[in-house]
């Protein structure tokens, strides 16, 4: 669906739910809500509408749908931004498909709306209501606290900007008169976050924050910087007056002031924002609007557009490489896809089979590493073999060279059999060493299954009765980290929550694939 942008000029704020809902039929991607100049003339300062802005963002999914990115242009409340000429001179949005008004244009005598129409040639003009423009209707709960500050600071992860972020950032904007400084967490600070492997790179998050701030109020100066500790620039910048925190991070504001006192800096006023409740939350998710919930929504969906098939791989069967850490739930996920109709190839199982007497690998491995690796029954003693190869990197590389080539050959044979004899159009090939062996290059795409390190350790201790030290050793010895696997993945699953939630992820991914394959056909 093409991206569509709308700009709504509103004067009847008491009717905002009705007004925003009326834009739904236009299938917008982005909607800018700006305030008619008469609104600015009837409020004492932009901060007066702080509570209104927060309530609109909280209910925006209900009124607009989750697919619309709403941006409330509070800069239209400032003296230098409260005119249609100023609206037309803003750098963003660069294009618009619709100009919406919540009043009858015939009631607007000045005709300033023409500036916007001229700014966006070919734009469609839509009157969402027939009320006159001169009857300004403000929300009943205007903010009473109207103090503002020259320099405002705040921090956060800001992964995939959502309504909670928009409230936090916009409140900072409404409180500031000159400068807003935003610290965007990176490095070790994001490691404790749920599904931190799916968090966007800091450079992307910084750019998204900058874009949002410049969209909602281009009249302030913004500094958006990465931070590697809880304090960032608040530890050293003397030109700060107020810090904005959420109820979750309120203690952080106090810590900042403790450090500033130690460094001989002024104390910051602390402004606390209530977290927004998630009106669409379900079991397994947090009750608040959060990036964690958004990352959970990414599970079982495409993280990037489907890529063209590599030229050296036949289009059929469609091969999916499945990777995942120890105790991450790969086996159960493979069962799910087998039940949904996929063929399954287990490369780890193939590797075990190839060590058996009579197999080609058996002879090669014995010839390379000596008969001392054999057990009394003639089978390869994998513990004895492991003691040799894990003590000598060159010998490990030689073993991998023998085994990986043979496993790939047998896996390809099984894939052909599943397709030609069993009619499987999709085959999922699972291998712990897929990335190291380079087998992912022979797949149409890669899916991964992850759980946090602590959960993998707990599962090994519970399932395999390992001592904690042994469980930790096994988890830390894995060939690929969660981060590396996610970087190579088109779709990611996480089995940290309920059985039903894992099942939903599998079914979602399978549905996406089936739909895409039908469209291709």
């Amino acid at each position: 669906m093409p991206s569509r942008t709308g700009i709504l000029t509103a004067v009847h704020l008491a009717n905002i739910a009705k007004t925003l809902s009326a834009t739904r039929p236009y299938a917008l991607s982005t909607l800018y809500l700006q305030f008619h100049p008469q609104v600015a003339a009837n409020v004492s300062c932009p901060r007066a509408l702080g509570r209104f802005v927060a309530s609109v963002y909280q209910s925006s999914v209900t009124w607009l749908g989750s697919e619309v990115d709403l941006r409330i242009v509070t800069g239209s409340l400032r003296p230098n931004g409260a005119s249609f000429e100023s609206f037309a001179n803003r750098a963003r949005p660069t294009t618009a498909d619709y100009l919406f008004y919540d009043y009858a244009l015939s009631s607007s005598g000045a005709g300033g709306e023409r500036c916007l129409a001229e700014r966006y040639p070919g734009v469609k003009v839509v009157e969402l209501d027939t009320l006159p423009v001169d009857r300004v209707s403000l929300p009943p709960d205007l903010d009473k606290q109207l103090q503002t500050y020259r320099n405002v600071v705040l921090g956060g992860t800001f992964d995939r900007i959502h309504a909670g972020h928009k409230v936090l950032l916009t409140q900072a904007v409404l409180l500031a008169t000159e400068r807003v400084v935003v610290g965007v967490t990176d490095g070790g600070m994001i490691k404790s976050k749920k599904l931190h492997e799916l968090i966007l790179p800091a450079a992307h998050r910084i750019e998204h924050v900058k874009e949002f701030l410049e969209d909602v109020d281009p009249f302030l100066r913004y500094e958006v910087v990465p931070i590697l500790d809880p304090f960032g620039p608040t530890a050293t910048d003397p030109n700060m007056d107020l810090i904005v925190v959420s109820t979750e991070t309120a203690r952080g504001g106090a810590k900042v002031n403790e450090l500033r006192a130690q460094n001989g800096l002024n104390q910051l006023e602390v402004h606390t924002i209530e977290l927004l409740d998630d009106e669409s939350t379900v079991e397994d998710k947090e009750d608040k609007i959060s990036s964690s919930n958004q990352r959970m929504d990414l599970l079982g969906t495409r993280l990037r557009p489907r890529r063209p098939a590599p030229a050296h791989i036949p289009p059929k069967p469609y091969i999916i490489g499945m990777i995942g850490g120890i105790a991450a739930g790969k086996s159960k996920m493979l069962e799910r896809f087998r039940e949904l109709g996929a063929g399954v190839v287990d490369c780890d199982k193939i590797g075990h089979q190839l060590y058996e007497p009579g197999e080609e690998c058996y002879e090669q491995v014995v010839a390379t590493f000596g008969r001392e690796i054999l057990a009394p029954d003639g089978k390869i003693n994998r513990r004895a073999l492991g003691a040799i190869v894990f003590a000598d990197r060159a010998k490990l590389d030689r073993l991998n060279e023998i085994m990986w080539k043979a496993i790939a050959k047998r896996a390809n044979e099984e894939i052909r059999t599943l397709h030609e004899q069993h009619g499987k159009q999709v085959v999922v090939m699972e291998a712990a060493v897929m990335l190291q062996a380079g087998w992912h290059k022979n797949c149409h795409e890669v899916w991964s299954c992850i759980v946090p390190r602590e959960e993998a350790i707990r599962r090994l201790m519970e399932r395999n009765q390992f001592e904690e030290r042994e469980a930790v050793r096994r988890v830390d010895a894995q060939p690929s980290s969660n981060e590396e696997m996610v970087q190579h993945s088109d779709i990611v699953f996480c089995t940290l929550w309920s059985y039903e939630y894992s099942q939903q992820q599998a079914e979602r991914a399978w549905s996406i694939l089936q739909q895409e394959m039908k469209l291709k056909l």
Side-chain angles (χ1 to χ4, degrees), residues 43 59 85 126 131 141 144 146 155 170 196 213-214 219 222 242 261 281 306 337 340 353 381 404 409 445 483 492 495:
V43 296
S59 299
E85 289 78 10
V126 181
L131 292 170
D141 53 346
K144 302 292 191 296
L146 302 179
T170 304
H196 68 86
L213 292 171
E214 290 166 0
F219 303 107
Y222 300 112
L242 174 87
T281 192
R306 188 181 180 192
F337 290 120
L340 288 167
Q353 294 168 354
N381 182 335
W404 290 355
K409 179 182 176 183
E445 59 184 273
E483 289 84 353
V492 173
T495 61

mmCIF file of all heavy atoms in Angstrom, residues 43 59 85 126 131 141 144 146 155 170 196 213-214 219 222 242 261 281 306 337 340 353 381 404 409 445 483 492 495:
data_model
loop_
_atom_site.group_PDB
_atom_site.id
_atom_site.type_symbol
_atom_site.label_atom_id
_atom_site.label_comp_id
_atom_site.label_asym_id
_atom_site.label_seq_id
_atom_site.Cartn_x
_atom_site.Cartn_y
_atom_site.Cartn_z
ATOM 1 N N VAL A 43 -5.045 29.971 24.387
ATOM 2 C CA VAL A 43 -4.351 29.316 25.500
ATOM 3 C C VAL A 43 -3.183 30.198 25.909
ATOM 4 O O VAL A 43 -2.591 30.896 25.086
ATOM 5 C CB VAL A 43 -3.854 27.898 25.129
ATOM 6 C CG1 VAL A 43 -5.019 26.981 24.837
ATOM 7 C CG2 VAL A 43 -2.870 27.932 23.967
ATOM 8 N N SER A 59 -4.957 7.419 23.215
ATOM 9 C CA SER A 59 -6.134 6.840 22.555
ATOM 10 C C SER A 59 -6.009 6.784 21.038
ATOM 11 O O SER A 59 -6.942 6.358 20.364
ATOM 12 C CB SER A 59 -7.377 7.651 22.924
ATOM 13 O OG SER A 59 -7.603 7.628 24.318
ATOM 14 N N GLU A 85 0.923 30.783 7.382
ATOM 15 C CA GLU A 85 2.177 31.040 6.668
ATOM 16 C C GLU A 85 3.309 30.219 7.287
ATOM 17 O O GLU A 85 4.138 29.632 6.582
ATOM 18 C CB GLU A 85 2.520 32.533 6.725
ATOM 19 C CG GLU A 85 1.621 33.424 5.897
ATOM 20 C CD GLU A 85 0.269 33.685 6.568
ATOM 21 O OE1 GLU A 85 0.105 33.319 7.766
ATOM 22 O OE2 GLU A 85 -0.618 34.232 5.892
ATOM 23 N N VAL A 126 -10.116 18.152 2.537
ATOM 24 C CA VAL A 126 -11.259 17.439 3.098
ATOM 25 C C VAL A 126 -11.772 18.176 4.336
ATOM 26 O O VAL A 126 -11.004 18.423 5.277
ATOM 27 C CB VAL A 126 -10.889 15.991 3.489
ATOM 28 C CG1 VAL A 126 -12.110 15.261 4.048
ATOM 29 C CG2 VAL A 126 -10.306 15.234 2.302
ATOM 30 N N LEU A 131 -18.762 22.612 11.360
ATOM 31 C CA LEU A 131 -18.790 23.625 12.406
ATOM 32 C C LEU A 131 -18.026 24.875 11.952
ATOM 33 O O LEU A 131 -17.060 24.777 11.192
ATOM 34 C CB LEU A 131 -18.152 23.081 13.682
ATOM 35 C CG LEU A 131 -18.921 21.961 14.400
ATOM 36 C CD1 LEU A 131 -18.053 21.371 15.503
ATOM 37 C CD2 LEU A 131 -20.224 22.493 14.976
ATOM 38 N N ASP A 141 -9.716 20.019 30.455
ATOM 39 C CA ASP A 141 -8.655 19.810 31.448
ATOM 40 C C ASP A 141 -7.341 20.448 31.016
ATOM 41 O O ASP A 141 -6.333 19.781 30.840
ATOM 42 C CB ASP A 141 -8.450 18.314 31.714
ATOM 43 C CG ASP A 141 -8.213 17.532 30.418
ATOM 44 O OD1 ASP A 141 -8.462 18.090 29.336
ATOM 45 O OD2 ASP A 141 -7.764 16.373 30.502
ATOM 46 N N LYS A 144 -2.742 23.475 34.572
ATOM 47 C CA LYS A 144 -2.681 24.691 35.390
ATOM 48 C C LYS A 144 -1.236 25.118 35.642
ATOM 49 O O LYS A 144 -0.946 26.299 35.798
ATOM 50 C CB LYS A 144 -3.380 24.449 36.731
ATOM 51 C CG LYS A 144 -4.841 24.018 36.604
ATOM 52 C CD LYS A 144 -5.697 25.145 36.051
ATOM 53 C CE LYS A 144 -7.178 24.826 36.165
ATOM 54 N NZ LYS A 144 -7.587 23.661 35.350
ATOM 55 N N LEU A 146 2.114 26.092 34.472
ATOM 56 C CA LEU A 146 2.545 26.621 33.173
ATOM 57 C C LEU A 146 4.000 27.062 33.158
ATOM 58 O O LEU A 146 4.456 27.672 32.181
ATOM 59 C CB LEU A 146 1.645 27.796 32.771
ATOM 60 C CG LEU A 146 0.149 27.470 32.666
ATOM 61 C CD1 LEU A 146 -0.630 28.717 32.295
ATOM 62 C CD2 LEU A 146 -0.095 26.351 31.654
ATOM 63 N N GLY A 155 16.114 11.127 28.911
ATOM 64 C CA GLY A 155 16.831 9.993 28.321
ATOM 65 C C GLY A 155 15.923 8.805 28.152
ATOM 66 O O GLY A 155 14.839 8.735 28.729
ATOM 67 N N THR A 170 7.252 14.958 23.801
ATOM 68 C CA THR A 170 6.440 16.162 23.615
ATOM 69 C C THR A 170 6.323 16.961 24.900
ATOM 70 O O THR A 170 6.323 18.206 24.875
ATOM 71 C CB THR A 170 5.044 15.799 23.073
ATOM 72 O OG1 THR A 170 5.192 15.044 21.860
ATOM 73 C CG2 THR A 170 4.239 17.045 22.765
ATOM 74 N N HIS A 196 16.426 -7.496 23.685
ATOM 75 C CA HIS A 196 17.348 -6.409 23.315
ATOM 76 C C HIS A 196 18.018 -6.671 21.971
ATOM 77 O O HIS A 196 18.481 -5.741 21.304
ATOM 78 C CB HIS A 196 18.405 -6.216 24.404
ATOM 79 C CG HIS A 196 19.372 -7.362 24.534
ATOM 80 N ND1 HIS A 196 20.513 -7.470 23.770
ATOM 81 C CD2 HIS A 196 19.359 -8.449 25.350
ATOM 82 C CE1 HIS A 196 21.167 -8.574 24.110
ATOM 83 N NE2 HIS A 196 20.491 -9.177 25.060
ATOM 84 N N LEU A 213 11.161 15.138 16.882
ATOM 85 C CA LEU A 213 11.242 16.438 17.548
ATOM 86 C C LEU A 213 11.125 17.588 16.555
ATOM 87 O O LEU A 213 10.411 18.570 16.793
ATOM 88 C CB LEU A 213 12.555 16.546 18.323
ATOM 89 C CG LEU A 213 12.691 15.632 19.547
ATOM 90 C CD1 LEU A 213 14.118 15.665 20.085
ATOM 91 C CD2 LEU A 213 11.698 16.019 20.636
ATOM 92 N N GLU A 214 11.829 17.478 15.445
ATOM 93 C CA GLU A 214 11.782 18.545 14.440
ATOM 94 C C GLU A 214 10.417 18.621 13.771
ATOM 95 O O GLU A 214 10.003 19.694 13.314
ATOM 96 C CB GLU A 214 12.894 18.332 13.418
ATOM 97 C CG GLU A 214 14.279 18.599 14.016
ATOM 98 C CD GLU A 214 15.414 18.069 13.154
ATOM 99 O OE1 GLU A 214 15.116 17.488 12.075
ATOM 100 O OE2 GLU A 214 16.583 18.220 13.558
ATOM 101 N N PHE A 219 11.016 24.948 16.368
ATOM 102 C CA PHE A 219 11.483 26.238 16.887
ATOM 103 C C PHE A 219 12.433 26.118 18.070
ATOM 104 O O PHE A 219 12.853 27.128 18.627
ATOM 105 C CB PHE A 219 10.286 27.117 17.260
ATOM 106 C CG PHE A 219 9.348 27.341 16.102
ATOM 107 C CD1 PHE A 219 8.111 26.711 16.061
ATOM 108 C CD2 PHE A 219 9.723 28.142 15.042
ATOM 109 C CE1 PHE A 219 7.248 26.890 14.985
ATOM 110 C CE2 PHE A 219 8.874 28.337 13.961
ATOM 111 C CZ PHE A 219 7.636 27.709 13.921
ATOM 112 N N TYR A 222 17.813 21.152 19.301
ATOM 113 C CA TYR A 222 17.826 19.772 19.789
ATOM 114 C C TYR A 222 19.236 19.194 19.747
ATOM 115 O O TYR A 222 19.962 19.378 18.773
ATOM 116 C CB TYR A 222 16.886 18.888 18.959
ATOM 117 C CG TYR A 222 15.445 19.350 19.007
ATOM 118 C CD1 TYR A 222 14.823 19.881 17.881
ATOM 119 C CD2 TYR A 222 14.723 19.281 20.188
ATOM 120 C CE1 TYR A 222 13.502 20.313 17.917
ATOM 121 C CE2 TYR A 222 13.402 19.718 20.251
ATOM 122 C CZ TYR A 222 12.799 20.237 19.108
ATOM 123 O OH TYR A 222 11.497 20.679 19.161
ATOM 124 N N LEU A 242 15.939 21.410 33.833
ATOM 125 C CA LEU A 242 14.862 20.463 34.183
ATOM 126 C C LEU A 242 15.146 19.121 33.541
ATOM 127 O O LEU A 242 15.599 19.040 32.393
ATOM 128 C CB LEU A 242 13.518 20.993 33.681
ATOM 129 C CG LEU A 242 12.324 20.039 33.838
ATOM 130 C CD1 LEU A 242 11.697 20.212 35.220
ATOM 131 C CD2 LEU A 242 11.266 20.285 32.767
ATOM 132 N N ALA A 261 25.484 17.482 42.233
ATOM 133 C CA ALA A 261 25.933 18.128 43.472
ATOM 134 C C ALA A 261 27.415 17.824 43.713
ATOM 135 O O ALA A 261 28.199 18.713 44.091
ATOM 136 C CB ALA A 261 25.083 17.660 44.649
ATOM 137 N N THR A 281 -3.458 -4.410 25.343
ATOM 138 C CA THR A 281 -2.543 -5.425 25.849
ATOM 139 C C THR A 281 -3.215 -6.795 25.950
ATOM 140 O O THR A 281 -4.428 -6.903 26.120
ATOM 141 C CB THR A 281 -1.989 -5.013 27.229
ATOM 142 O OG1 THR A 281 -0.892 -5.871 27.569
ATOM 143 C CG2 THR A 281 -3.052 -5.130 28.304
ATOM 144 N N ARG A 306 11.369 -9.395 2.052
ATOM 145 C CA ARG A 306 11.807 -10.667 1.477
ATOM 146 C C ARG A 306 12.804 -10.412 0.354
ATOM 147 O O ARG A 306 12.589 -9.588 -0.529
ATOM 148 C CB ARG A 306 10.595 -11.427 0.935
ATOM 149 C CG ARG A 306 10.900 -12.852 0.497
ATOM 150 C CD ARG A 306 9.635 -13.499 -0.049
ATOM 151 N NE ARG A 306 9.859 -14.855 -0.487
ATOM 152 C CZ ARG A 306 8.990 -15.560 -1.198
ATOM 153 N NH1 ARG A 306 7.838 -14.998 -1.543
ATOM 154 N NH2 ARG A 306 9.251 -16.791 -1.558
ATOM 155 N N PHE A 337 6.356 -26.510 12.632
ATOM 156 C CA PHE A 337 6.380 -26.313 11.177
ATOM 157 C C PHE A 337 6.144 -27.623 10.428
ATOM 158 O O PHE A 337 5.558 -27.620 9.347
ATOM 159 C CB PHE A 337 7.693 -25.655 10.760
ATOM 160 C CG PHE A 337 7.788 -24.226 11.211
ATOM 161 C CD1 PHE A 337 8.802 -23.812 12.060
ATOM 162 C CD2 PHE A 337 6.821 -23.301 10.831
ATOM 163 C CE1 PHE A 337 8.864 -22.503 12.503
ATOM 164 C CE2 PHE A 337 6.873 -21.988 11.270
ATOM 165 C CZ PHE A 337 7.897 -21.587 12.105
ATOM 166 N N LEU A 340 2.515 -27.942 10.399
ATOM 167 C CA LEU A 340 1.900 -26.971 9.483
ATOM 168 C C LEU A 340 2.109 -27.335 8.017
ATOM 169 O O LEU A 340 1.484 -26.738 7.137
ATOM 170 C CB LEU A 340 2.473 -25.572 9.753
ATOM 171 C CG LEU A 340 2.013 -24.910 11.061
ATOM 172 C CD1 LEU A 340 2.867 -23.702 11.392
ATOM 173 C CD2 LEU A 340 0.541 -24.526 10.983
ATOM 174 N N GLN A 353 24.562 -39.388 12.711
ATOM 175 C CA GLN A 353 24.477 -40.576 11.855
ATOM 176 C C GLN A 353 25.779 -40.814 11.090
ATOM 177 O O GLN A 353 26.209 -41.952 10.896
ATOM 178 C CB GLN A 353 23.318 -40.425 10.872
ATOM 179 C CG GLN A 353 21.943 -40.403 11.518
ATOM 180 C CD GLN A 353 20.850 -39.978 10.560
ATOM 181 O OE1 GLN A 353 21.113 -39.580 9.422
ATOM 182 N NE2 GLN A 353 19.597 -40.041 11.018
ATOM 183 N N ASN A 381 34.270 -42.722 19.750
ATOM 184 C CA ASN A 381 34.053 -42.164 21.087
ATOM 185 C C ASN A 381 34.133 -40.642 20.955
ATOM 186 O O ASN A 381 35.223 -40.075 20.854
ATOM 187 C CB ASN A 381 35.124 -42.693 22.045
ATOM 188 C CG ASN A 381 34.917 -42.184 23.467
ATOM 189 O OD1 ASN A 381 34.307 -41.139 23.685
ATOM 190 N ND2 ASN A 381 35.423 -42.936 24.438
ATOM 191 N N TRP A 404 31.308 -31.057 7.842
ATOM 192 C CA TRP A 404 30.400 -30.086 7.250
ATOM 193 C C TRP A 404 30.116 -30.402 5.792
ATOM 194 O O TRP A 404 28.989 -30.261 5.321
ATOM 195 C CB TRP A 404 30.969 -28.674 7.387
ATOM 196 C CG TRP A 404 30.951 -28.172 8.810
ATOM 197 C CD1 TRP A 404 30.406 -28.805 9.895
ATOM 198 C CD2 TRP A 404 31.502 -26.952 9.291
ATOM 199 N NE1 TRP A 404 30.585 -28.052 11.020
ATOM 200 C CE2 TRP A 404 31.246 -26.898 10.689
ATOM 201 C CE3 TRP A 404 32.183 -25.896 8.695
ATOM 202 C CZ2 TRP A 404 31.663 -25.833 11.478
ATOM 203 C CZ3 TRP A 404 32.586 -24.816 9.484
ATOM 204 C CH2 TRP A 404 32.333 -24.793 10.862
ATOM 205 N N LYS A 409 26.035 -32.437 2.058
ATOM 206 C CA LYS A 409 25.664 -33.365 0.976
ATOM 207 C C LYS A 409 24.437 -34.191 1.367
ATOM 208 O O LYS A 409 23.476 -34.313 0.595
ATOM 209 C CB LYS A 409 26.842 -34.280 0.668
ATOM 210 C CG LYS A 409 26.568 -35.300 -0.427
ATOM 211 C CD LYS A 409 27.777 -36.199 -0.644
ATOM 212 C CE LYS A 409 27.472 -37.290 -1.674
ATOM 213 N NZ LYS A 409 28.632 -38.214 -1.821
ATOM 214 N N GLU A 445 15.982 -18.149 2.937
ATOM 215 C CA GLU A 445 15.982 -17.200 4.046
ATOM 216 C C GLU A 445 16.343 -17.944 5.319
ATOM 217 O O GLU A 445 16.416 -19.174 5.356
ATOM 218 C CB GLU A 445 14.650 -16.482 4.185
ATOM 219 C CG GLU A 445 13.435 -17.361 4.418
ATOM 220 C CD GLU A 445 12.152 -16.521 4.448
ATOM 221 O OE1 GLU A 445 11.823 -16.029 5.533
ATOM 222 O OE2 GLU A 445 11.507 -16.355 3.400
ATOM 223 N N GLU A 483 22.684 -12.173 19.277
ATOM 224 C CA GLU A 483 22.816 -10.993 18.427
ATOM 225 C C GLU A 483 23.233 -11.378 17.013
ATOM 226 O O GLU A 483 22.683 -10.850 16.031
ATOM 227 C CB GLU A 483 23.843 -10.018 19.016
ATOM 228 C CG GLU A 483 23.380 -9.312 20.272
ATOM 229 C CD GLU A 483 23.607 -10.122 21.546
ATOM 230 O OE1 GLU A 483 24.015 -11.305 21.448
ATOM 231 O OE2 GLU A 483 23.367 -9.588 22.636
ATOM 232 N N VAL A 492 12.339 -13.934 13.457
ATOM 233 C CA VAL A 492 12.856 -14.371 14.755
ATOM 234 C C VAL A 492 11.701 -14.844 15.626
ATOM 235 O O VAL A 492 10.619 -14.247 15.628
ATOM 236 C CB VAL A 492 13.610 -13.225 15.461
ATOM 237 C CG1 VAL A 492 14.012 -13.620 16.881
ATOM 238 C CG2 VAL A 492 14.853 -12.830 14.662
ATOM 239 N N THR A 495 10.806 -18.211 22.626
ATOM 240 C CA THR A 495 9.913 -19.117 23.353
ATOM 241 C C THR A 495 9.929 -18.849 24.856
ATOM 242 O O THR A 495 9.683 -19.747 25.657
ATOM 243 C CB THR A 495 10.320 -20.584 23.087
ATOM 244 O OG1 THR A 495 11.670 -20.793 23.568
ATOM 245 C CG2 THR A 495 10.282 -20.893 21.598
#
